[in-house]
Amino acid sequence: MTNFEEDISVYNFVSILGECFQNKASVNLVKHYPTGRMLAVKRFHLDKIWDNISIVQQEITLTKQLQHPNIITYYTSFVHGPEVFAVSPLQAFGSCKSLLDSHFNEGLPELAIILIFKDIIEAVNYLHKSGFIHRAIRASHILISASGKASLSGLHYACPLVINGRWQRAVHSFPLSTQPNLNWLSPELLEQNLKGYNEKSDIYSLGILCCELANGREPFADVDSTLMLVEKVRGCIPGLLDCTTLPSKCDDRECQGDCDIEISLSRRGFSQYLHEFCYMCLEREAKDRPSAAELLTHPVFTLVNKGISLPELLKPVLPLSDKVSPNKEMCHLDHVLHMSEMDMPSCDWDFPIS
C-alpha cells in the first residue's frame, strides 16, 4: 500500500482546480514526487475556517472512519504552517455538477445516470448501516474517477443515528449550514417538527438528485426558498422532465427563453423504470420511501449492460489527467499561495468539504 507522507515537500502543486467550503478553501491538483501519481489536495487556511474548525475536524475524522469504495477517502491529512492539507485521490472527471455545467446542460444520458446511481446508492446504504445520515446528497458531492467510479463526498453535513450507544428512530438536529442544500432536503427535515427525521431523508435527496442529473438542474431551482418549503410540505412531488411530461411546443412567443429549454427537454425520453425510481424516492411520507438496500434491487439497474462504461457515456469529456501538461507544473508552493490570493473563478470541483 502506498504511503502518502505528511510532508508538503513531496507534493508538487500543479494548478488550482477550484474553491470550496464557501470559498474558504481550495482544491489543488498535485503530483506526488515518490510515485508520480496525480492527486487532489484540499487546503484550508486556519484563519479563514477558524469558526468552522470543528466541522473540518469532523469531516476528516468521519472520512477516515468510513471505508467504502464509493465514498471519497483521504490518504492523509496534516498541518503545515497556518494551513490544513487533506490529500485524496484525483477524481479525474470532477463532480457531476461540473459535468452538467460544462457539457451536459440538459442532463446526462440515462445509462450514465443509472451507473452513477448504482455506485452512490451502494455508498448511501453503507452510510446508513454505519449509523449516519448524509444530509447533502447533490450533484456537486458526486465525484467521478477516470475509470468511471462514482464516489460520495460532502460528509461534513452528516449526522449520527447512534447517540450514546443507542440507535435513534429519529433525529432532530438541523444542519448548521443548509443554504447550499435546501432544494435537496426532504420535507420532514425542513419542517423541523417534533417528529424529526431519519435516514429516509437521504432517499428523498436521491430523488432530487435523479431529477438534477436527468434535467441539468434540480427541481425548485428558481423558486423562493419559502415557497419551495411550502410546496414540499403540501406534498408536491417533482418528476423527470421529458417527452412524457412536457408539451413538445409552446405557442406563447413571449416566453421563448424558458420554453426553448422545455422544448429541448421534451425531445428526450426516459424509461418508465427511471420515472418510477425517481417517484419512489420522492414520496411525501418517509415511511413510503424504500430503503437504500431496497433501491439496489430496483429493475432500473437491469437496463445497463456489463459492457457499457461511464467514461464512454461521458464523451467527449476527457478525464483531467489526460489534459495535464508537465510543462505547466508549478514547482514551488509559494506560487500556489500567491495564486490562491487572486480572484479566480471556481470550476465546481466540490471535494469532500464544500
Side-chain angles (χ1 to χ4, degrees):
M1 183 176 180
T2 304
N3 179 37
F4 293 95
E5 301 86 346
E6 298 179 4
D7 181 359
I8 197 66
S9 66
V10 302
Y11 301 100
N12 183 37
F13 283 73
V14 177
S15 63
I16 296 177
L17 297 174
E19 295 179 336
C20 55
F21 203 71
Q22 300 175 354
N23 297 328
K24 296 178 181 178
S26 64
V27 180
N28 300 263
L29 177 67
V30 304
K31 186 174 184 178
H32 183 235
Y33 279 127
T35 63
R37 288 182 57 181
M38 305 305 296
L39 305 171
V41 170
K42 188 173 278 187
R43 283 178 44 240
F44 303 91
H45 199 287
L46 291 174
D47 288 342
K48 294 182 179 180
I49 64 168
W50 191 253
D51 293 340
N52 304 110
I53 189 66
S54 61
I55 299 177
V56 175
Q57 291 174 329
Q58 174 187 311
E59 164 74 20
I60 293 174
T61 301
L62 183 57
T63 302
K64 289 184 176 181
Q65 174 185 339
L66 298 172
Q67 299 292 322
H68 190 274
N70 298 115
I71 293 180
I72 197 69
T73 187
Y74 283 143
Y75 290 138
T76 188
S77 59
F78 55 92
V79 177
H80 176 78
E83 294 180 296
V84 177
F85 292 81
V87 182
S88 64
L90 175 64
Q91 305 299 308
F93 280 103
S95 70
C96 285
K97 181 66 165 62
S98 66
L99 289 171
L100 294 174
D101 290 344
S102 62
H103 290 84
F104 299 95
N105 303 137
E106 297 169 5
L108 296 171
E110 179 171 2
L111 293 182
I113 296 170
I114 297 172
L115 286 172
I116 291 170
F117 261 88
K118 183 67 167 61
D119 286 349
I120 296 307
I121 296 175
E122 292 278 7
V124 172
N125 186 41
Y126 168 80
L127 197 64
H128 291 173
K129 288 183 176 180
S130 300
F132 291 95
I133 307 174
H134 189 279
R135 303 194 301 185
I137 299 174
R138 53 190 173 101
S140 59
H141 288 152
I142 310 300
L143 309 174
I144 310 297
S145 71
S147 64
K149 182 181 72 174
S151 295
L152 183 63
S153 66
L155 291 176
H156 65 293
Y157 291 102
C159 72
L161 278 165
V162 181
I163 301 175
N164 296 326
R166 294 185 177 182
W167 199 283
Q168 307 296 307
R169 291 187 177 181
V171 296
H172 299 83
S173 64
F174 196 70
L176 295 177
S177 178
T178 60
Q179 188 59 41
N181 303 311
L182 283 176
N183 288 351
W184 290 265
L185 297 181
S186 66
E188 65 272 16
L189 197 160
L190 291 171
E191 282 183 293
Q192 301 184 64
N193 59 29
L194 294 177
K195 293 181 179 179
Y197 60 93
N198 57 26
E199 69 277 7
K200 291 290 187 73
S201 63
D202 278 347
I203 304 302
Y204 184 93
S205 298
L206 286 173
I208 298 292
L209 172 66
C210 186
C211 296
E212 183 183 15
L213 296 184
N215 298 132
R217 59 178 181 171
E218 78 280 8
F220 310 109
D222 299 320
V223 177
D224 177 77
S225 298
T226 303
L227 180 57
M228 176 271 294
L229 171 60
V230 171
E231 289 296 311
K232 285 186 178 182
V233 172
R234 285 179 176 176
C236 173
I237 299 180
L240 304 181
L241 305 179
D242 67 358
C243 60
T244 66
T245 58
L246 284 173
S248 58
K249 61 182 179 179
C250 178
D251 295 329
D252 187 351
R253 296 180 180 179
E254 295 182 359
C255 66
Q256 193 61 42
D258 291 338
C259 287
D260 283 344
I261 297 175
E262 291 195 0
I263 291 171
S264 180
L265 290 173
S266 71
R267 296 192 182 105
R268 299 190 69 185
F270 298 108
S271 69
Q272 187 60 35
Y273 282 153
L274 191 62
H275 278 280
E276 292 174 355
F277 176 90
C278 184
Y279 186 85
M280 290 170 60
C281 294
L282 294 171
E283 286 282 2
R284 168 64 180 87
E285 300 298 328
K287 62 181 177 60
D288 296 329
R289 299 173 206 146
S291 66
E294 290 170 337
L295 282 177
L296 288 171
T297 65
H298 194 278
V300 71
F301 297 112
T302 64
L303 299 179
V304 180
N305 297 323
K306 291 185 177 180
I308 298 178
S309 68
L310 186 56
E312 287 292 321
L313 295 170
L314 294 180
K315 287 183 177 179
V317 185
L318 294 176
L320 182 64
S321 54
D322 290 344
K323 301 177 184 178
V324 175
S325 174
N327 61 8
K328 292 184 180 180
E329 293 182 358
M330 297 184 296
C331 298
H332 301 290
L333 180 60
D334 293 342
H335 294 166
V336 179
L337 296 176
H338 173 69
M339 290 187 68
S340 67
E341 296 172 357
M342 299 171 60
D343 184 15
M344 298 183 65
S346 171
C347 63
D348 279 327
W349 273 66
D350 274 344
F351 278 78
I353 304 177
S354 59

